[in-house]
PDB file of all heavy atoms in Angstrom:
ATOM      1  N   CYS Y 159     -44.540 -39.684 296.388  1.00  0.00           N
ATOM      2  CA  CYS Y 159     -44.595 -40.042 297.811  1.00  0.00           C
ATOM      3  C   CYS Y 159     -45.802 -40.956 298.094  1.00  0.00           C
ATOM      4  O   CYS Y 159     -46.465 -40.854 299.118  1.00  0.00           O
ATOM      5  CB  CYS Y 159     -44.650 -38.822 298.709  1.00  0.00           C
ATOM      6  SG  CYS Y 159     -43.131 -37.844 298.656  1.00  0.00           S
ATOM      7  N   ALA Y 160     -46.068 -41.842 297.148  1.00  0.00           N
ATOM      8  CA  ALA Y 160     -47.141 -42.814 297.279  1.00  0.00           C
ATOM      9  C   ALA Y 160     -46.685 -44.112 296.635  1.00  0.00           C
ATOM     10  O   ALA Y 160     -47.356 -44.647 295.718  1.00  0.00           O
ATOM     11  CB  ALA Y 160     -48.415 -42.284 296.650  1.00  0.00           C
ATOM     12  N   MET Y 161     -45.575 -44.641 297.116  1.00  0.00           N
ATOM     13  CA  MET Y 161     -45.005 -45.827 296.487  1.00  0.00           C
ATOM     14  C   MET Y 161     -45.926 -47.047 296.491  1.00  0.00           C
ATOM     15  O   MET Y 161     -45.941 -47.808 295.516  1.00  0.00           O
ATOM     16  CB  MET Y 161     -43.654 -46.161 297.152  1.00  0.00           C
ATOM     17  CG  MET Y 161     -42.590 -45.082 296.881  1.00  0.00           C
ATOM     18  SD  MET Y 161     -41.007 -45.401 297.700  1.00  0.00           S
ATOM     19  CE  MET Y 161     -40.370 -46.708 296.626  1.00  0.00           C
ATOM     20  N   PRO Y 162     -46.737 -47.278 297.551  1.00  0.00           N
ATOM     21  CA  PRO Y 162     -47.650 -48.408 297.484  1.00  0.00           C
ATOM     22  C   PRO Y 162     -48.677 -48.293 296.352  1.00  0.00           C
ATOM     23  O   PRO Y 162     -49.113 -49.322 295.820  1.00  0.00           O
ATOM     24  CB  PRO Y 162     -48.334 -48.364 298.862  1.00  0.00           C
ATOM     25  CG  PRO Y 162     -47.317 -47.760 299.773  1.00  0.00           C
ATOM     26  CD  PRO Y 162     -46.680 -46.704 298.913  1.00  0.00           C
ATOM     27  N   VAL Y 163     -49.043 -47.066 295.970  1.00  0.00           N
ATOM     28  CA  VAL Y 163     -49.921 -46.903 294.836  1.00  0.00           C
ATOM     29  C   VAL Y 163     -49.258 -47.362 293.550  1.00  0.00           C
ATOM     30  O   VAL Y 163     -49.858 -48.056 292.710  1.00  0.00           O
ATOM     31  CB  VAL Y 163     -50.383 -45.434 294.716  1.00  0.00           C
ATOM     32  CG1 VAL Y 163     -51.176 -45.226 293.431  1.00  0.00           C
ATOM     33  CG2 VAL Y 163     -51.203 -45.018 295.913  1.00  0.00           C
ATOM     34  N   MET Y 164     -47.982 -46.996 293.367  1.00  0.00           N
ATOM     35  CA  MET Y 164     -47.243 -47.433 292.194  1.00  0.00           C
ATOM     36  C   MET Y 164     -47.128 -48.952 292.164  1.00  0.00           C
ATOM     37  O   MET Y 164     -47.286 -49.576 291.092  1.00  0.00           O
ATOM     38  CB  MET Y 164     -45.852 -46.806 292.175  1.00  0.00           C
ATOM     39  CG  MET Y 164     -45.823 -45.286 292.229  1.00  0.00           C
ATOM     40  SD  MET Y 164     -46.637 -44.436 290.864  1.00  0.00           S
ATOM     41  CE  MET Y 164     -47.968 -43.626 291.750  1.00  0.00           C
ATOM     42  N   ASP Y 165     -46.874 -49.543 293.324  1.00  0.00           N
ATOM     43  CA  ASP Y 165     -46.780 -51.019 293.405  1.00  0.00           C
ATOM     44  C   ASP Y 165     -48.103 -51.664 293.001  1.00  0.00           C
ATOM     45  O   ASP Y 165     -48.123 -52.677 292.284  1.00  0.00           O
ATOM     46  CB  ASP Y 165     -46.395 -51.450 294.827  1.00  0.00           C
ATOM     47  CG  ASP Y 165     -44.979 -51.058 295.189  1.00  0.00           C
ATOM     48  OD1 ASP Y 165     -44.180 -50.766 294.287  1.00  0.00           O
ATOM     49  OD2 ASP Y 165     -44.689 -51.017 296.407  1.00  0.00           O
ATOM     50  N   PHE Y 166     -49.208 -51.082 293.427  1.00  0.00           N
ATOM     51  CA  PHE Y 166     -50.530 -51.648 293.100  1.00  0.00           C
ATOM     52  C   PHE Y 166     -50.763 -51.655 291.593  1.00  0.00           C
ATOM     53  O   PHE Y 166     -51.254 -52.639 291.041  1.00  0.00           O
ATOM     54  CB  PHE Y 166     -51.644 -50.872 293.793  1.00  0.00           C
ATOM     55  CG  PHE Y 166     -53.024 -51.331 293.433  1.00  0.00           C
ATOM     56  CD1 PHE Y 166     -53.587 -52.431 294.072  1.00  0.00           C
ATOM     57  CD2 PHE Y 166     -53.740 -50.693 292.433  1.00  0.00           C
ATOM     58  CE1 PHE Y 166     -54.860 -52.860 293.716  1.00  0.00           C
ATOM     59  CE2 PHE Y 166     -55.015 -51.126 292.089  1.00  0.00           C
ATOM     60  CZ  PHE Y 166     -55.580 -52.213 292.739  1.00  0.00           C
ATOM     61  N   PHE Y 167     -50.400 -50.560 290.927  1.00  0.00           N
ATOM     62  CA  PHE Y 167     -50.626 -50.467 289.488  1.00  0.00           C
ATOM     63  C   PHE Y 167     -49.456 -51.035 288.678  1.00  0.00           C
ATOM     64  O   PHE Y 167     -49.455 -50.963 287.449  1.00  0.00           O
ATOM     65  CB  PHE Y 167     -50.893 -49.019 289.092  1.00  0.00           C
ATOM     66  CG  PHE Y 167     -52.282 -48.534 289.489  1.00  0.00           C
ATOM     67  CD1 PHE Y 167     -52.454 -47.783 290.638  1.00  0.00           C
ATOM     68  CD2 PHE Y 167     -53.364 -48.862 288.726  1.00  0.00           C
ATOM     69  CE1 PHE Y 167     -53.711 -47.342 291.009  1.00  0.00           C
ATOM     70  CE2 PHE Y 167     -54.641 -48.437 289.075  1.00  0.00           C
ATOM     71  CZ  PHE Y 167     -54.814 -47.677 290.234  1.00  0.00           C
ATOM     72  N   GLN Y 168     -48.458 -51.549 289.365  1.00  0.00           N
ATOM     73  CA  GLN Y 168     -47.303 -52.220 288.752  1.00  0.00           C
ATOM     74  C   GLN Y 168     -46.589 -51.296 287.755  1.00  0.00           C
ATOM     75  O   GLN Y 168     -46.269 -51.667 286.634  1.00  0.00           O
ATOM     76  CB  GLN Y 168     -47.748 -53.527 288.071  1.00  0.00           C
ATOM     77  CG  GLN Y 168     -48.329 -54.534 289.042  1.00  0.00           C
ATOM     78  CD  GLN Y 168     -48.715 -55.841 288.384  1.00  0.00           C
ATOM     79  OE1 GLN Y 168     -49.033 -55.899 287.199  1.00  0.00           O
ATOM     80  NE2 GLN Y 168     -48.686 -56.918 289.169  1.00  0.00           N
ATOM     81  N   VAL Y 169     -46.365 -50.083 288.215  1.00  0.00           N
ATOM     82  CA  VAL Y 169     -45.576 -49.121 287.448  1.00  0.00           C
ATOM     83  C   VAL Y 169     -44.525 -48.539 288.381  1.00  0.00           C
ATOM     84  O   VAL Y 169     -44.743 -48.394 289.592  1.00  0.00           O
ATOM     85  CB  VAL Y 169     -46.458 -47.991 286.856  1.00  0.00           C
ATOM     86  CG1 VAL Y 169     -47.432 -48.553 285.826  1.00  0.00           C
ATOM     87  CG2 VAL Y 169     -47.196 -47.236 287.953  1.00  0.00           C
ATOM     88  N   PRO Y 170     -43.339 -48.199 287.844  1.00  0.00           N
ATOM     89  CA  PRO Y 170     -42.310 -47.606 288.711  1.00  0.00           C
ATOM     90  C   PRO Y 170     -42.619 -46.176 289.087  1.00  0.00           C
ATOM     91  O   PRO Y 170     -42.175 -45.667 290.120  1.00  0.00           O
ATOM     92  CB  PRO Y 170     -41.046 -47.667 287.852  1.00  0.00           C
ATOM     93  CG  PRO Y 170     -41.547 -47.639 286.444  1.00  0.00           C
ATOM     94  CD  PRO Y 170     -42.853 -48.383 286.474  1.00  0.00           C
ATOM     95  N   ALA Y 171     -43.381 -45.498 288.248  1.00  0.00           N
ATOM     96  CA  ALA Y 171     -43.692 -44.086 288.442  1.00  0.00           C
ATOM     97  C   ALA Y 171     -44.785 -43.703 287.452  1.00  0.00           C
ATOM     98  O   ALA Y 171     -45.118 -44.462 286.544  1.00  0.00           O
ATOM     99  CB  ALA Y 171     -42.447 -43.248 288.221  1.00  0.00           C
ATOM    100  N   THR Y 172     -45.351 -42.517 287.663  1.00  0.00           N
ATOM    101  CA  THR Y 172     -46.277 -41.967 286.684  1.00  0.00           C
ATOM    102  C   THR Y 172     -45.898 -40.530 286.391  1.00  0.00           C
ATOM    103  O   THR Y 172     -45.132 -39.910 287.124  1.00  0.00           O
ATOM    104  CB  THR Y 172     -47.740 -42.003 287.179  1.00  0.00           C
ATOM    105  OG1 THR Y 172     -47.921 -41.064 288.251  1.00  0.00           O
ATOM    106  CG2 THR Y 172     -48.158 -43.388 287.631  1.00  0.00           C
ATOM    107  N   ALA Y 173     -46.458 -40.004 285.331  1.00  0.00           N
ATOM    108  CA  ALA Y 173     -46.454 -38.555 285.085  1.00  0.00           C
ATOM    109  C   ALA Y 173     -47.771 -38.006 285.608  1.00  0.00           C
ATOM    110  O   ALA Y 173     -48.814 -38.698 285.485  1.00  0.00           O
ATOM    111  CB  ALA Y 173     -46.285 -38.253 283.621  1.00  0.00           C
ATOM    112  N   ARG Y 174     -47.763 -36.830 286.165  1.00  0.00           N
ATOM    113  CA  ARG Y 174     -48.987 -36.295 286.785  1.00  0.00           C
ATOM    114  C   ARG Y 174     -49.159 -34.834 286.429  1.00  0.00           C
ATOM    115  O   ARG Y 174     -48.271 -34.012 286.675  1.00  0.00           O
ATOM    116  CB  ARG Y 174     -48.913 -36.440 288.297  1.00  0.00           C
ATOM    117  CG  ARG Y 174     -50.181 -35.961 289.040  1.00  0.00           C
ATOM    118  CD  ARG Y 174     -49.962 -35.948 290.546  1.00  0.00           C
ATOM    119  NE  ARG Y 174     -49.001 -34.916 290.951  1.00  0.00           N
ATOM    120  CZ  ARG Y 174     -48.489 -34.823 292.168  1.00  0.00           C
ATOM    121  NH1 ARG Y 174     -48.826 -35.691 293.112  1.00  0.00           N
ATOM    122  NH2 ARG Y 174     -47.625 -33.872 292.463  1.00  0.00           N
ATOM    123  N   ALA Y 175     -50.307 -34.521 285.857  1.00  0.00           N
ATOM    124  CA  ALA Y 175     -50.708 -33.140 285.632  1.00  0.00           C
ATOM    125  C   ALA Y 175     -51.777 -32.812 286.654  1.00  0.00           C
ATOM    126  O   ALA Y 175     -52.775 -33.543 286.761  1.00  0.00           O
ATOM    127  CB  ALA Y 175     -51.240 -32.946 284.219  1.00  0.00           C
ATOM    128  N   SER Y 176     -51.587 -31.740 287.409  1.00  0.00           N
ATOM    129  CA  SER Y 176     -52.553 -31.371 288.440  1.00  0.00           C
ATOM    130  C   SER Y 176     -52.921 -29.899 288.264  1.00  0.00           C
ATOM    131  O   SER Y 176     -52.037 -29.044 288.152  1.00  0.00           O
ATOM    132  CB  SER Y 176     -52.006 -31.648 289.823  1.00  0.00           C
ATOM    133  OG  SER Y 176     -50.704 -31.133 289.984  1.00  0.00           O
ATOM    134  N   PHE Y 177     -54.190 -29.610 288.246  1.00  0.00           N
ATOM    135  CA  PHE Y 177     -54.690 -28.300 287.844  1.00  0.00           C
ATOM    136  C   PHE Y 177     -55.140 -27.462 289.037  1.00  0.00           C
ATOM    137  O   PHE Y 177     -55.583 -27.997 290.053  1.00  0.00           O
ATOM    138  CB  PHE Y 177     -55.859 -28.455 286.872  1.00  0.00           C
ATOM    139  CG  PHE Y 177     -55.599 -29.426 285.746  1.00  0.00           C
ATOM    140  CD1 PHE Y 177     -56.459 -30.482 285.535  1.00  0.00           C
ATOM    141  CD2 PHE Y 177     -54.476 -29.300 284.947  1.00  0.00           C
ATOM    142  CE1 PHE Y 177     -56.227 -31.402 284.506  1.00  0.00           C
ATOM    143  CE2 PHE Y 177     -54.236 -30.207 283.922  1.00  0.00           C
ATOM    144  CZ  PHE Y 177     -55.112 -31.254 283.718  1.00  0.00           C
ATOM    145  N   ALA Y 178     -55.045 -26.154 288.860  1.00  0.00           N
ATOM    146  CA  ALA Y 178     -55.608 -25.182 289.802  1.00  0.00           C
ATOM    147  C   ALA Y 178     -56.518 -24.248 289.032  1.00  0.00           C
ATOM    148  O   ALA Y 178     -56.568 -24.283 287.800  1.00  0.00           O
ATOM    149  CB  ALA Y 178     -54.500 -24.410 290.513  1.00  0.00           C
ATOM    150  N   PHE Y 179     -57.198 -23.372 289.752  1.00  0.00           N
ATOM    151  CA  PHE Y 179     -58.188 -22.511 289.111  1.00  0.00           C
ATOM    152  C   PHE Y 179     -57.567 -21.487 288.167  1.00  0.00           C
ATOM    153  O   PHE Y 179     -58.266 -20.888 287.349  1.00  0.00           O
ATOM    154  CB  PHE Y 179     -59.045 -21.800 290.157  1.00  0.00           C
ATOM    155  CG  PHE Y 179     -58.267 -20.908 291.100  1.00  0.00           C
ATOM    156  CD1 PHE Y 179     -58.000 -19.603 290.772  1.00  0.00           C
ATOM    157  CD2 PHE Y 179     -57.821 -21.401 292.303  1.00  0.00           C
ATOM    158  CE1 PHE Y 179     -57.278 -18.796 291.657  1.00  0.00           C
ATOM    159  CE2 PHE Y 179     -57.118 -20.614 293.194  1.00  0.00           C
ATOM    160  CZ  PHE Y 179     -56.834 -19.298 292.867  1.00  0.00           C
ATOM    161  N   TYR Y 180     -56.233 -21.288 288.255  1.00  0.00           N
ATOM    162  CA  TYR Y 180     -55.601 -20.348 287.325  1.00  0.00           C
ATOM    163  C   TYR Y 180     -55.094 -21.028 286.067  1.00  0.00           C
ATOM    164  O   TYR Y 180     -54.497 -20.377 285.194  1.00  0.00           O
ATOM    165  CB  TYR Y 180     -54.439 -19.597 287.990  1.00  0.00           C
ATOM    166  CG  TYR Y 180     -53.494 -20.432 288.847  1.00  0.00           C
ATOM    167  CD1 TYR Y 180     -52.730 -21.464 288.293  1.00  0.00           C
ATOM    168  CD2 TYR Y 180     -53.370 -20.186 290.208  1.00  0.00           C
ATOM    169  CE1 TYR Y 180     -51.870 -22.213 289.068  1.00  0.00           C
ATOM    170  CE2 TYR Y 180     -52.508 -20.935 290.997  1.00  0.00           C
ATOM    171  CZ  TYR Y 180     -51.768 -21.954 290.429  1.00  0.00           C
ATOM    172  OH  TYR Y 180     -50.921 -22.694 291.203  1.00  0.00           O
ATOM    173  N   ASN Y 181     -55.323 -22.311 285.919  1.00  0.00           N
ATOM    174  CA  ASN Y 181     -54.943 -23.025 284.695  1.00  0.00           C
ATOM    175  C   ASN Y 181     -56.009 -22.882 283.616  1.00  0.00           C
ATOM    176  O   ASN Y 181     -57.154 -22.529 283.881  1.00  0.00           O
ATOM    177  CB  ASN Y 181     -54.659 -24.497 284.975  1.00  0.00           C
ATOM    178  CG  ASN Y 181     -53.395 -24.715 285.774  1.00  0.00           C
ATOM    179  OD1 ASN Y 181     -53.392 -25.375 286.818  1.00  0.00           O
ATOM    180  ND2 ASN Y 181     -52.292 -24.124 285.332  1.00  0.00           N
ATOM    181  N   THR Y 182     -55.589 -23.182 282.380  1.00  0.00           N
ATOM    182  CA  THR Y 182     -56.478 -22.984 281.224  1.00  0.00           C
ATOM    183  C   THR Y 182     -56.487 -24.227 280.333  1.00  0.00           C
ATOM    184  O   THR Y 182     -55.595 -25.060 280.397  1.00  0.00           O
ATOM    185  CB  THR Y 182     -56.018 -21.785 280.382  1.00  0.00           C
ATOM    186  OG1 THR Y 182     -54.729 -22.082 279.785  1.00  0.00           O
ATOM    187  CG2 THR Y 182     -55.891 -20.522 281.237  1.00  0.00           C
ATOM    188  N   ARG Y 183     -57.476 -24.279 279.475  1.00  0.00           N
ATOM    189  CA  ARG Y 183     -57.528 -25.356 278.479  1.00  0.00           C
ATOM    190  C   ARG Y 183     -56.332 -25.279 277.521  1.00  0.00           C
ATOM    191  O   ARG Y 183     -55.821 -26.298 277.094  1.00  0.00           O
ATOM    192  CB  ARG Y 183     -58.843 -25.271 277.677  1.00  0.00           C
ATOM    193  CG  ARG Y 183     -60.082 -25.669 278.459  1.00  0.00           C
ATOM    194  CD  ARG Y 183     -61.291 -25.726 277.541  1.00  0.00           C
ATOM    195  NE  ARG Y 183     -62.447 -26.301 278.209  1.00  0.00           N
ATOM    196  CZ  ARG Y 183     -63.537 -26.708 277.568  1.00  0.00           C
ATOM    197  NH1 ARG Y 183     -63.590 -26.627 276.242  1.00  0.00           N
ATOM    198  NH2 ARG Y 183     -64.559 -27.224 278.244  1.00  0.00           N
ATOM    199  N   GLU Y 184     -55.916 -24.064 277.216  1.00  0.00           N
ATOM    200  CA  GLU Y 184     -54.783 -23.902 276.304  1.00  0.00           C
ATOM    201  C   GLU Y 184     -53.521 -24.545 276.888  1.00  0.00           C
ATOM    202  O   GLU Y 184     -52.712 -25.138 276.137  1.00  0.00           O
ATOM    203  CB  GLU Y 184     -54.546 -22.402 276.050  1.00  0.00           C
ATOM    204  CG  GLU Y 184     -53.478 -22.093 275.029  1.00  0.00           C
ATOM    205  CD  GLU Y 184     -52.090 -21.931 275.656  1.00  0.00           C
ATOM    206  OE1 GLU Y 184     -52.016 -21.629 276.859  1.00  0.00           O
ATOM    207  OE2 GLU Y 184     -51.075 -22.117 274.939  1.00  0.00           O
ATOM    208  N   GLU Y 185     -53.346 -24.465 278.195  1.00  0.00           N
ATOM    209  CA  GLU Y 185     -52.183 -25.107 278.818  1.00  0.00           C
ATOM    210  C   GLU Y 185     -52.268 -26.627 278.705  1.00  0.00           C
ATOM    211  O   GLU Y 185     -51.253 -27.302 278.527  1.00  0.00           O
ATOM    212  CB  GLU Y 185     -52.083 -24.677 280.271  1.00  0.00           C
ATOM    213  CG  GLU Y 185     -51.692 -23.203 280.428  1.00  0.00           C
ATOM    214  CD  GLU Y 185     -51.680 -22.761 281.878  1.00  0.00           C
ATOM    215  OE1 GLU Y 185     -52.579 -23.146 282.647  1.00  0.00           O
ATOM    216  OE2 GLU Y 185     -50.724 -22.029 282.270  1.00  0.00           O
ATOM    217  N   ILE Y 186     -53.472 -27.159 278.802  1.00  0.00           N
ATOM    218  CA  ILE Y 186     -53.671 -28.606 278.610  1.00  0.00           C
ATOM    219  C   ILE Y 186     -53.340 -28.993 277.181  1.00  0.00           C
ATOM    220  O   ILE Y 186     -52.723 -30.044 276.926  1.00  0.00           O
ATOM    221  CB  ILE Y 186     -55.094 -29.012 279.007  1.00  0.00           C
ATOM    222  CG1 ILE Y 186     -55.287 -28.770 280.523  1.00  0.00           C
ATOM    223  CG2 ILE Y 186     -55.374 -30.455 278.643  1.00  0.00           C
ATOM    224  CD1 ILE Y 186     -56.719 -28.950 280.985  1.00  0.00           C
TER     225      ILE Y 186
END
């Protein structure tokens, strides 16, 4: 939901990993 950002970086989409405090290094 940030299509102008994708246009700026000239990519159709990205993959995104977003972390919370219950995540771990092992999951990364």
